[in-house]
Amino acid sequence: MCPPLPATPDLPPELGARLTADGAQFCVYAGHARSVEVCLFDDAADGTTTERRIALRHRAHGTWFDTVPGVAAGQRYAFRVDGDWDPDRSLLHNPAKLLLDPYARAVEGGVHLDPALYAHRVGPDLRGDLWVRDDRDSAPFMPRCVIVEDEFDWGEDEFPQHSLTESLVYEVHVKNATKLHPGVPEELRGTYAGLAHPAFVDHLLGLGVTAVELLPVHTFTHEPDLVLRGLSNHWGYNTLGFFAPHAAYASTRDPQGALDEFKTMVKDLHAAGIEVLLDVVYNHTAENSREGMTLSWRGLDQRAYYRVDGRGRDIDVTGCGNTLDLTHPVVARLVLDSLRYWVQECHVDGFRFDLAVALGRGKDDGYDRDHPFLVALRTDPVLSRTKLVAEPWDLGLHGWRTGQFPPPFSEWNDRYRDATRTFWLRDLAASASGGVGHGVRELATRLAGSQDLFDRHDRGTIASVNFVTAHDGFTLADLTTYDTKHNGANGHSGTDGSNDNRSWNHGVEGRTDDPDIADARRRSMRNLLGTLLLSTGVPMLNAGDELGRSQRGNNNPYSQDNEISWMSWDLAAWQEDLLETSRHLVRLRRDHPVLRQRTFFSGRQVHADGSTDLAWFGADGQPMGERWDGPAVAVLQGLYNGAAISERSVLLVVNGSAGAVDVTLPTAPGAAAYEKLWDSADERPTPPGPPVAAGDFVTMRAASMHVWRPVERA
């Protein structure tokens, strides 16, 4: 536990609610308010709830604070703020609206949609006049903040601290992972405890996972339009509190118990050697646009927390209605304090920043890699030592910034995703219909670590988080099953979700009983997995892809808290085979460090025998030379030379054509022959066969990938 900062008489105390010897100290920022009250809620003997309002008497630097005697752990509370109502100046104070503490470490209950939640007057359709203040009390429809104890028995917990060169990141939703898992007790399924249950942990360890990247676990709520359509925000990218774990993911309804269950999950995963990364959403909040609800930040100080223009209108680069203003010191401090809390108090190992470009936009709205927030994050003695991963885009002008984040950030590499899908699916579809694809140049660049994107500032290959699928988009199985998205269940008339999927249904849209199509789809899945798990960089696997999980063609199931999203553990034989293939590929990666070096390949001689660290060959076994850019080129061999690092070498061979191809294994120093370690045409990994002499040819089946290991003699 991090000790509290010493009191300083000239500065306000720490923000949030802190227990003292005789009560609790409350502190909140409301820089333009005239008064602030803390509201204490208690259960009366008759079953009703009472509210006691206490004015905070002290103010400094826009921060209001006071100590209230008699308050103990478990106290429910929130704030009310009064001040000017002038929407054109972004002054939206309304004492009728209950406001959550931005620093609350536990939140109990949910937001129950009602017109009273809006600071301006709205009707039953939730539309109204932005300039007319609404005087209805929102408290009956609001959750409560809860004071909790920080004490927790961490025992001998240690951060695993895996090198990114040794990492396999597993992106997973807490509920989806175990909601249907038969090995997890029913009362724990879909919870923090379920995620850390041995039945699921054994699956992670068997797969070789070193880190789970959890979809948002900060307290979140549901957008009004979803509620009106009978849906919910299932993914959680709609934050209501940056310090409190989402209580619905706990097996207990007690707020203290929910926090302790989260910490126990982290502790148990650490004990298994698995790191915990959080997908964090600091770019916007659940208050959505100015037309949205007033739940916390907007009622405290709209001008401080959000990017607004000169007329009080939101500057939205997130697509969610608002954008937090990281140029304001109070907001930057909020985010930094939140991150430190999750590391120091909850022992998480790192973060993936959703729409990270929004966090680096300056006062002119342009992205700045030296933005004060990014500098603070990179130089913070605690946070700079964690794993930091950027989603390097947002929806604003010039929002795509892949390769432009500073070290030590790693980045989701969308160029990798697109190139891999294009080669193995769209180009293959073109080949199957008599056309040609895009060639092998970009695939080679992605296999080798994307040096074109990440070579600046000595970032190395670990700056590239390679992925083929993620939570938003088709699953691996659906990439091979659907040409178009099938998002009708989301209620947007098919307008939501990406149209640029680069998928291929192999001739039939959706499920089919045709054995040839089913076989081709499974081979495509294996090709994509093999490419992902053997590429240089940091592989990220979308949970369930190793099992062939389908979302029935829905590429944006953010509102589907049902079997469309939940992982099924009732596996067919082909799914068992795919899981074993995934395990085999991870072992190959682990056993061959030449595939996961930190530094980029130079192509220059690295050994006295004249060999280079990486050499590319065509189907004829000859160096690629000037043949890179031919669109008809669909076969590539890459020889990764381990001699320079005293490790074994590896030959990767890809055939992206729709027909079988004879491939001559290259003659190279130290490679008299080759032993085949994997063939994607096999449903299940098979033991190595007899070595094949260098210079001899082998027949690769259509649309397949091989892994060979050089040996000294045939």
Side-chain angles (χ1 to χ4, degrees), residues 303-610:
R303 288 172 64 170
Y305 283 106
Y306 294 117
R307 287 185 173 274
V308 292
D309 64 17
R311 297 179 58 187
R313 297 173 300 190
D314 290 286
I315 298 173
D316 178 17
V317 300
T318 68
C320 299
N322 65 58
T323 306
L324 282 170
D325 187 0
L326 271 294
T327 68
H328 195 291
V330 168
V331 183
R333 178 183 175 186
L334 168 72
V335 176
L336 292 167
D337 286 347
S338 170
L339 292 167
R340 288 191 207 97
Y341 171 76
W342 290 100
V343 174
Q344 294 178 309
E345 295 289 350
C346 299
H347 288 205
V348 305
D349 303 272
F351 306 93
R352 177 264 190 189
F353 294 88
D354 181 65
L355 299 182
V357 171
L359 310 182
R361 288 189 180 269
K363 292 186 180 298
D364 63 353
D365 291 329
Y367 169 72
D368 179 4
R369 66 189 306 277
D370 292 321
H371 186 286
F373 169 72
L374 298 180
V375 172
L377 190 58
R378 295 163 59 199
T379 57
D380 186 276
V382 173
L383 301 176
S384 64
R385 310 307 296 175
T386 65
K387 289 181 168 64
L388 304 174
V389 180
E391 182 183 38
W393 52 82
D394 68 11
L395 276 66
L397 185 65
H398 306 305
W400 252 252
R401 297 283 180 168
T402 306
Q404 297 179 41
F405 273 74
F409 277 98
S410 298
E411 301 176 35
W412 274 25
N413 189 347
D414 56 320
R415 291 277 297 277
Y416 179 93
R417 174 200 63 202
D418 293 348
T420 305
R421 292 184 182 189
T422 296
F423 181 82
W424 285 118
L425 297 173
R426 300 310 299 164
D427 285 0
L428 184 57
S431 176
S433 60
V436 295
H438 294 79
V440 295
R441 177 185 287 276
E442 184 159 7
L443 180 70
T445 302
R446 305 302 154 222
L447 283 168
S450 296
Q451 185 172 3
D452 60 328
L453 298 173
F454 302 108
D455 196 27
R456 294 180 61 197
H457 306 292
D458 198 27
R459 298 180 69 188
T461 64
I462 59 174
S464 177
V465 175
N466 300 331
F467 68 105
V468 175
T469 65
H471 66 275
D472 50 350
F474 280 143
T475 65
L476 181 72
D478 287 353
L479 275 178
T480 70
T481 307
Y482 299 92
D483 275 357
T484 60
K485 62 191 179 186
H486 296 263
N487 294 1
N490 301 344
H492 295 290
S493 301
T495 60
D496 65 307
S498 176
N499 293 315
D500 182 18
N501 296 296
R502 307 186 188 209
S503 58
W504 182 36
N505 65 17
H506 292 76
V508 174
E509 186 75 356
R511 298 180 62 181
T512 180
D513 294 327
D514 186 308
D516 293 333
I517 292 178
D519 177 76
R521 287 174 175 175
R522 293 194 298 272
R523 188 178 303 181
S524 288
M525 282 188 263
R526 294 191 294 271
N527 288 332
L528 291 164
L529 281 172
T531 304
L532 172 66
L533 294 172
L534 300 177
S535 292
T536 298
V538 183
M540 185 186 78
L541 185 66
N542 184 25
D545 278 352
E546 74 280 12
L547 308 176
R549 180 177 75 92
S550 172
Q551 292 171 170
R552 307 174 193 173
N554 193 324
N555 75 350
N556 189 39
Y558 77 105
S559 58
Q560 300 302 314
D561 186 6
N562 50 47
E563 292 187 1
I564 291 176
S565 299
W566 303 339
M567 289 174 62
S568 172
W569 296 89
D570 184 14
L571 305 182
W574 72 266
Q575 292 174 293
E576 296 280 6
D577 291 341
L578 188 66
L579 175 58
E580 185 52 42
T581 294
S582 301
R583 292 168 173 163
H584 179 71
L585 290 167
V586 175
R587 287 193 295 268
L588 288 180
R589 180 181 184 85
R590 180 196 63 201
D591 294 343
H592 295 86
V594 69
L595 295 172
R596 47 184 177 83
Q597 299 180 68
R598 188 193 187 285
T599 56
F600 289 109
F601 300 99
S602 67
R604 295 189 294 270
Q605 179 179 333
V606 294
H607 196 269
D609 61 11

Side-chain angles (χ1 to χ4, degrees), residues 65 167 169 240 300 404 421 502 527:
F65 54 97
S167 293
V169 179
L240 191 60
L300 289 167
Q404 297 179 41
R421 292 184 182 189
R502 307 186 188 209
N527 288 332

Side-chain angles (χ1 to χ4, degrees), residues 125-273:
D125 62 354
L126 306 181
R127 297 180 181 180
D129 192 332
L130 294 173
W131 282 263
V132 178
R133 193 167 82 169
D134 182 85
D135 294 327
R136 288 171 287 189
D137 185 10
S138 68
F141 312 102
M142 282 287 291
R144 309 288 190 251
C145 307
V146 185
I147 298 178
V148 291
E149 299 274 9
D150 289 331
E151 297 294 334
F152 181 78
D153 181 10
W154 284 103
E156 299 180 356
D157 180 64
E158 294 184 0
F159 293 86
Q161 294 185 319
H162 296 296
S163 167
L164 285 170
T165 61
E166 301 172 351
S167 293
L168 171 59
V169 179
Y170 190 80
E171 189 198 26
V172 62
H173 185 287
V174 170
K175 186 172 184 178
N176 291 353
T178 65
K179 180 62 178 176
L180 300 177
H181 200 303
V184 175
E186 187 170 0
E187 67 275 12
L188 301 182
R189 294 176 188 171
T191 68
Y192 300 124
L195 195 77
H197 189 275
F200 186 67
V201 172
D202 286 349
H203 174 73
L204 297 176
L205 294 177
L207 190 56
V209 169
T210 64
V212 290
E213 181 178 299
L214 305 183
L215 266 67
V217 296
H218 290 172
T219 292
F220 63 87
T221 189
H222 314 293
E223 293 89 341
D225 70 296
L226 286 177
V227 176
L228 292 174
R229 288 186 279 118
L231 298 171
S232 62
N233 188 315
H234 180 53
W235 285 350
Y237 293 88
N238 200 44
T239 307
L240 191 60
F242 294 115
F243 291 77
H246 191 58
Y249 291 160
S251 61
T252 176
R253 299 280 72 87
D254 171 56
Q256 182 71 59
L259 175 59
D260 291 346
E261 185 174 321
F262 179 88
K263 292 179 178 179
T264 300
M265 174 196 71
V266 175
K267 180 180 177 180
D268 290 347
L269 289 170
H270 281 181

